[in-house]
Every structure is written in C-alpha cells, then in structure tokens.
Amino acid sequence: MIVRDFSPIPYQGGKLSLSDRTQAIMKFGTNWPADMKSQDTLIRHLTKSLDNSFTILRNVWLPRAEGTVPLILIGPPGITVIYNSPAKGVFRTQGSSWAIMGGRGSFQPSKPNLIMRATLMAGAVQTYLHENSYSDLSVDGVLAFTNPGTHVDAIRPDVRVVLIDALERLAAQLTSDPPIL
C-alpha cells in the first residue's frame, strides 16, 4: 500500500520536537498525538494486507471543509474515507446515533458523535469529487477503532464500524470487491 502524508505537521512516529508538538496541540487539540498514533496503527494493519494498487492519503485538507479528512483509501474497489479513533469504552450506535455506556450500565448520548463525523467526512469527499467532475464515484465511510479495549454494539449504522481485530477482514473485503477504478 502506498501512503501519502499531507499532514501540515508530520507525526514522524511520535518523534517530534517540543515546538512541533506544541504547535500541533495548539492547532489540532490535545487529542492530536493519540489520533496520529491511531492512524499509524491503522495504516500498519492495512499495509500488511493491501498491495500497491491501494493508496492511502493521510490528513487531506479539502477546500471549504472544516478540517482535514484523516484517511482516504483509494483502490480498485473505489474510495473509502476512514475516520480513526483511539477511543476506549463500550459504545452503541443505531443509524446516526452514538452513545457511550455510563456507570450504571445504561447508554447516554455521547459527544462527539463519531458516526456523524465519519458520515460528514465521507460526504465532504463525495461533494469534492462531484464538484471536480467525478460524479460517478461513490464514497464509503468507515469508523475504525484502534484501541483493543473498545466494543461497539452496532445496529445498521450510517457508516461501517470496524474494530482493530477486524481490520484485516476489512482489507480482505476490499481486495475481493469488484474493481470500479
């Protein structure tokens, strides 16, 4: 798999100077190091299973978007936007709703809504492609968790939800899908 990094501050496997780390946290928030490590984990797992017919674009800035799209996977079966998360816990999703298990075993709506974020990012890429005369391409959204301590009870979510132990299965499914590109 080919990896193209468009990060304004490349993560470099966590080996950053203090000024780069401070600048990144101020610009992207305190979760930035964990998010970048999560991306590294996800890319490492996908690289094992995907050949060079796949390219992953990392931290792509789109015009008129409210931030960067963490990962865009381009390959023969099409385009997949992957929103990665290092979150840990027990979650539930149904459609576009997102909830976390509270202290008493009940689920409460959680912010940020990771399903909506993944949906919006996939929609932003779809809009960008339509505006640039690629209206026949569809974009799939995936919410991927890289922490083994995560469990998601998913009932027909708006985007595909993948846990770390299913990343190889996602790659196998992508390689067996009929080619579109």
Side-chain angles (χ1 to χ4, degrees), residues 62 68-72 79-85 93 95-98 112-126 139-145 157-162:
L62 296 175
T68 60
V69 178
L71 298 167
I72 301 173
I79 299 170
T80 304
V81 172
I82 303 173
Y83 180 68
N84 63 291
S85 176
T93 180
S96 65
S97 68
W98 183 251
N113 184 330
L114 301 182
I115 294 290
M116 287 302 297
R117 279 192 179 178
T119 302
L120 290 172
M121 287 180 189
V125 171
Q126 181 80 51
V139 177
D140 295 324
V142 172
L143 173 58
F145 291 93
D158 286 354
V159 295
R160 184 173 179 175
V161 177
V162 178

Side-chain angles (χ1 to χ4, degrees), residues 130-147:
H130 282 292
E131 289 173 352
N132 290 285
S133 302
Y134 295 102
S135 57
D136 56 337
L137 291 175
S138 65
V139 177
D140 295 324
V142 172
L143 173 58
F145 291 93
T146 56
N147 190 319

Side-chain angles (χ1 to χ4, degrees), residues 1 17 19 23 48-49 61 69-70 74 92 94 99 107 114 118 121 132 136 141 158 162:
M1 183 173 71
S17 68
S19 64
Q23 180 184 1
K48 292 177 187 175
S49 304
W61 177 84
V69 178
I74 303 167
R92 176 179 287 165
Q94 183 173 4
F107 287 92
L114 301 182
M121 287 180 189
N132 290 285
D136 56 337
D158 286 354
V162 178

Side-chain angles (χ1 to χ4, degrees), residues 27-43:
K27 188 172 184 176
F28 302 112
T30 56
N31 289 340
W32 182 81
D35 290 339
M36 294 301 285
K37 185 176 179 182
S38 173
Q39 283 184 12
D40 280 348
T41 301
L42 196 135
I43 290 169

Side-chain angles (χ1 to χ4, degrees), residues 1 8-9 23-24 28 47 50-52 60 62 70 73 86 92 107 109 117-118 124 139 141 144 165 168 171 174 180:
M1 183 173 71
I9 303 170
Q23 180 184 1
F28 302 112
T47 301
L50 299 177
D51 62 13
N52 282 344
V60 177
L62 296 175
L73 182 64
R92 176 179 287 165
F107 287 92
R117 279 192 179 178
V139 177
D165 59 348
E168 283 80 16
L174 289 170
I180 295 173

